[in-house]
Protein backbone atom coordinates (compact mmCIF):
# COMPACT_ATOMS: atom_id res chain seq x y z
CA UNK A 1 0.00 0.00 0.00
CA UNK A 2 1.23 3.53 -0.78
CA UNK A 3 3.21 5.40 1.88
CA UNK A 4 3.82 9.10 2.36
CA UNK A 5 5.86 11.26 4.73
CA UNK A 6 4.32 13.74 7.13
CA UNK A 7 6.27 16.19 9.28
CA UNK A 8 4.40 17.95 12.06
CA UNK A 9 6.21 21.28 12.11
CA UNK A 10 7.48 23.25 15.13
CA UNK A 11 4.50 25.63 15.15
CA UNK A 12 2.13 22.67 15.60
CA UNK A 13 4.31 21.10 18.30
CA UNK A 14 4.45 24.46 20.12
CA UNK A 15 0.69 24.96 19.78
CA UNK A 16 -0.07 21.44 21.07
CA UNK A 17 -1.60 20.30 17.81
CA UNK A 18 0.39 17.06 17.48
CA UNK A 19 -2.46 14.82 18.66
CA UNK A 20 -5.01 16.72 16.60
CA UNK A 21 -2.99 16.35 13.40
CA UNK A 22 -2.31 12.65 13.97
CA UNK A 23 -6.01 12.17 14.69
CA UNK A 24 -7.03 13.66 11.34
CA UNK A 25 -5.11 10.91 9.53
CA UNK A 26 -6.28 8.16 11.86
CA UNK A 27 -9.91 9.23 11.53
CA UNK A 28 -9.61 9.22 7.73
CA UNK A 29 -8.56 5.56 7.92
CA UNK A 30 -4.84 5.78 7.22
CA UNK A 31 -2.48 3.37 8.94
CA UNK A 32 0.41 4.81 10.95
CA UNK A 33 3.46 2.91 9.67
CA UNK A 34 6.10 4.99 11.48
CA UNK A 35 6.13 7.71 14.11
CA UNK A 36 8.89 9.53 16.01
CA UNK A 37 10.07 12.89 17.33
CA UNK A 38 13.26 14.13 15.73
CA UNK A 39 15.41 17.23 15.69
CA UNK A 40 16.10 18.29 12.11
CA UNK A 41 19.61 19.69 11.65
CA UNK A 42 20.82 22.11 9.00
CA UNK A 43 22.09 19.37 6.69
CA UNK A 44 18.83 17.47 6.79
CA UNK A 45 16.89 20.72 6.21
CA UNK A 46 19.05 21.55 3.16
CA UNK A 47 18.49 18.08 1.73
CA UNK A 48 14.77 18.07 2.45
CA UNK A 49 14.22 21.58 1.07
CA UNK A 50 16.84 21.36 -1.71
CA UNK A 51 14.28 22.81 -4.16
CA UNK A 52 14.12 25.96 -2.01
CA UNK A 53 17.69 26.60 -0.78
CA UNK A 54 18.21 29.46 -3.24
CA UNK A 55 15.04 31.29 -2.17
CA UNK A 56 15.29 34.41 -0.04
CA UNK A 57 13.05 32.85 2.64
CA UNK A 58 15.20 29.70 2.95
CA UNK A 59 17.40 30.85 5.89
CA UNK A 60 14.27 31.65 7.90
CA UNK A 61 12.69 28.34 6.92
CA UNK A 62 15.79 26.40 8.02
CA UNK A 63 15.95 28.29 11.31
CA UNK A 64 12.25 27.57 11.92
CA UNK A 65 12.44 23.85 11.08
CA UNK A 66 15.60 23.24 13.15
CA UNK A 67 14.96 25.32 16.27
CA UNK A 68 12.99 22.65 18.09
CA UNK A 69 11.86 19.05 17.61
CA UNK A 70 9.31 18.00 15.05
CA UNK A 71 7.24 14.84 14.69
CA UNK A 72 7.90 12.64 11.66
CA UNK A 73 5.34 10.13 10.52
CA UNK A 74 4.88 7.61 7.73
CA UNK A 75 1.29 6.95 6.88
CA UNK A 76 -0.04 4.32 4.60
CA UNK A 77 -3.20 3.87 2.56
CA UNK A 78 -4.61 3.69 -0.94
CA UNK A 79 -3.48 6.75 -2.97
CA UNK A 80 -1.97 8.12 0.25
CA UNK A 81 0.17 10.81 -1.38
CA UNK A 82 -2.68 12.47 -3.26
CA UNK A 83 -5.29 12.07 -0.53
CA UNK A 84 -2.94 13.47 2.13
CA UNK A 85 -2.00 16.49 0.01
CA UNK A 86 -5.72 17.24 -0.36
CA UNK A 87 -6.19 16.94 3.39
CA UNK A 88 -3.20 19.25 4.02
CA UNK A 89 -4.34 22.11 1.75
CA UNK A 90 -2.47 24.92 0.00
CA UNK A 91 1.01 26.02 1.10
CA UNK A 92 -0.28 29.47 2.01
CA UNK A 93 -2.57 28.54 4.88
CA UNK A 94 -4.55 31.75 4.44
CA UNK A 95 -5.60 30.42 1.04
CA UNK A 96 -6.08 26.83 2.21
CA UNK A 97 -9.70 25.70 2.23
CA UNK A 98 -11.48 25.33 5.57
CA UNK A 99 -11.63 21.63 6.34
CA UNK A 100 -8.01 21.13 5.33
CA UNK A 101 -5.38 20.90 8.07
CA UNK A 102 -3.64 24.13 7.06
CA UNK A 103 -7.00 25.78 6.44
CA UNK A 104 -8.18 24.89 9.92
CA UNK A 105 -5.05 25.44 12.02
CA UNK A 106 -2.77 28.04 10.43
CA UNK A 107 -2.71 31.57 9.06
CA UNK A 108 0.85 31.46 7.75
CA UNK A 109 2.79 30.59 4.59
CA UNK A 110 5.85 29.39 6.51
CA UNK A 111 4.43 28.23 9.85
CA UNK A 112 1.85 26.09 8.12
CA UNK A 113 1.55 23.17 10.58
CA UNK A 114 2.56 20.26 8.42
CA UNK A 115 4.71 18.93 5.59
CA UNK A 116 3.47 16.21 3.25
CA UNK A 117 5.23 14.60 0.28
CA UNK A 118 4.06 16.07 -3.01
CA UNK A 119 4.38 13.06 -5.39
CA UNK A 120 4.88 9.30 -5.27
CA UNK A 121 8.55 9.70 -6.27
CA UNK A 122 9.15 12.35 -3.59
CA UNK A 123 7.34 10.25 -1.00
CA UNK A 124 9.59 7.25 -1.61
CA UNK A 125 12.70 9.42 -1.20
CA UNK A 126 11.36 11.30 1.83
CA UNK A 127 10.28 8.17 3.70
CA UNK A 128 13.83 6.80 3.26
CA UNK A 129 15.33 10.15 4.27
CA UNK A 130 13.60 10.17 7.65
CA UNK A 131 13.03 6.50 8.51
CA UNK A 132 15.26 3.42 8.62
CA UNK A 133 13.60 0.24 7.28
CA UNK A 134 13.31 -1.16 10.82
CA UNK A 135 11.41 1.96 11.93
CA UNK A 136 8.58 1.23 9.48
CA UNK A 137 5.94 -1.24 10.60
CA UNK A 138 3.56 -3.40 8.66
CA UNK A 139 0.46 -4.71 10.38
CA UNK A 140 -3.11 -5.62 9.54
CA UNK A 141 -6.13 -3.57 10.53
CA UNK A 142 -9.78 -4.54 10.35
CA UNK A 143 -11.46 -4.98 7.00
CA UNK A 144 -13.70 -1.91 7.33
CA UNK A 145 -11.44 0.49 5.42
CA UNK A 146 -11.64 -0.81 1.84
CA UNK A 147 -13.78 -3.13 -0.21
CA UNK A 148 -12.11 -6.30 -1.56
CA UNK A 149 -11.74 -4.85 -5.09
CA UNK A 150 -9.77 -1.88 -3.76
CA UNK A 151 -7.08 -3.99 -2.17
N1 LIG B 1 7.70 28.34 2.42
C1 LIG B 1 7.89 29.61 2.93
N2 LIG B 1 7.66 30.69 2.11
C2 LIG B 1 7.24 30.54 0.81
C3 LIG B 1 7.05 29.24 0.31
C4 LIG B 1 7.28 28.15 1.15
O1 LIG B 1 8.27 29.78 4.08
O2 LIG B 1 7.05 31.55 0.11
C5 LIG B 1 7.92 27.18 3.31
C6 LIG B 1 6.61 26.60 3.86
O3 LIG B 1 6.85 26.17 5.21
C7 LIG B 1 6.36 25.43 2.94
C8 LIG B 1 7.80 24.94 2.71
O4 LIG B 1 8.55 26.13 2.59
O5 LIG B 1 5.52 24.46 3.52
C9 LIG B 1 7.99 24.07 1.47
O6 LIG B 1 7.51 24.77 0.35
P1 LIG B 1 6.75 24.00 -0.80
O7 LIG B 1 6.64 24.95 -1.96
O8 LIG B 1 7.38 22.68 -1.05
O9 LIG B 1 5.25 23.87 -0.21
P2 LIG B 1 4.48 22.62 0.44
O10 LIG B 1 4.85 21.40 -0.38
O11 LIG B 1 4.91 22.50 1.87
O12 LIG B 1 3.02 22.98 0.31
MG1 LIG C 1 6.72 20.68 -0.85
Amino acid sequence: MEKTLILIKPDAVQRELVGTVISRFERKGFTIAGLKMIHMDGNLAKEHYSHLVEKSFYPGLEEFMTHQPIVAMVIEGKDAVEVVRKMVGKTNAREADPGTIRGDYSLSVSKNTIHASDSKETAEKEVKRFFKPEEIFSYKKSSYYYSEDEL
Side-chain angles (χ1 to χ4, degrees):
M1 201 62 90
E2 194 168 291
K3 292 184 180 65
T4 190
L5 179 86
I6 303 285
L7 300 176
I8 304 178
K9 294 185 179 185
D11 56 313
V13 175
Q14 194 61 233
R15 293 173 54 206
E16 300 169 335
L17 289 168
V18 172
T20 301
V21 171
I22 292 174
S23 240
R24 301 279 287 236
F25 296 113
E26 282 195 300
R27 291 277 69 85
K28 177 71 175 166
F30 284 115
T31 299
I32 299 174
L35 181 63
K36 61 183 176 179
M37 182 166 263
I38 60 163
H39 207 134
M40 209 186 220
D41 64 16
N43 288 337
L44 185 56
K46 284 182 187 76
E47 188 187 335
H48 185 62
Y49 288 124
S50 60
H51 60 301
L52 299 173
V53 281
E54 303 302 326
K55 303 276 187 191
S56 58
F57 61 80
Y58 180 76
L61 176 62
E62 180 178 315
E63 160 61 22
F64 168 59
M65 289 300 293
T66 59
H67 85 287
Q68 70 163 40
I70 59 174
V71 173
M73 203 177 164
V74 178
I75 61 170
E76 189 175 28
K78 196 168 169 65
D79 301 326
V81 173
E82 192 186 340
V83 175
V84 165
R85 285 290 287 196
K86 273 191 197 150
M87 289 174 71
V88 165
K90 284 189 183 169
T91 308
N92 180 347
R94 294 190 294 281
E95 292 173 359
D97 289 334
T100 64
I101 293 168
R102 286 170 171 166
D104 285 352
Y105 302 119
S106 171
L107 281 167
S108 171
V109 180
S110 55
K111 296 178 170 63
N112 56 6
T113 313
I114 185 168
H115 164 85
S117 309
D118 64 5
S119 70
K120 289 181 195 193
E121 297 71 42
T122 316
E124 277 181 25
K125 281 190 207 150
E126 291 186 344
V127 166
K128 286 196 184 113
R129 180 174 301 145
F130 286 88
F131 285 82
K132 298 181 191 134
E134 64 268 28
E135 292 174 324
I136 298 176
F137 298 85
S138 183
Y139 55 94
K140 269 208 174 350
K141 291 207 301 197
S142 77
S143 58
Y144 288 91
Y145 294 94
Y146 303 101
S147 58
E148 280 302 317
D149 62 351
E150 290 174 303
L151 292 171

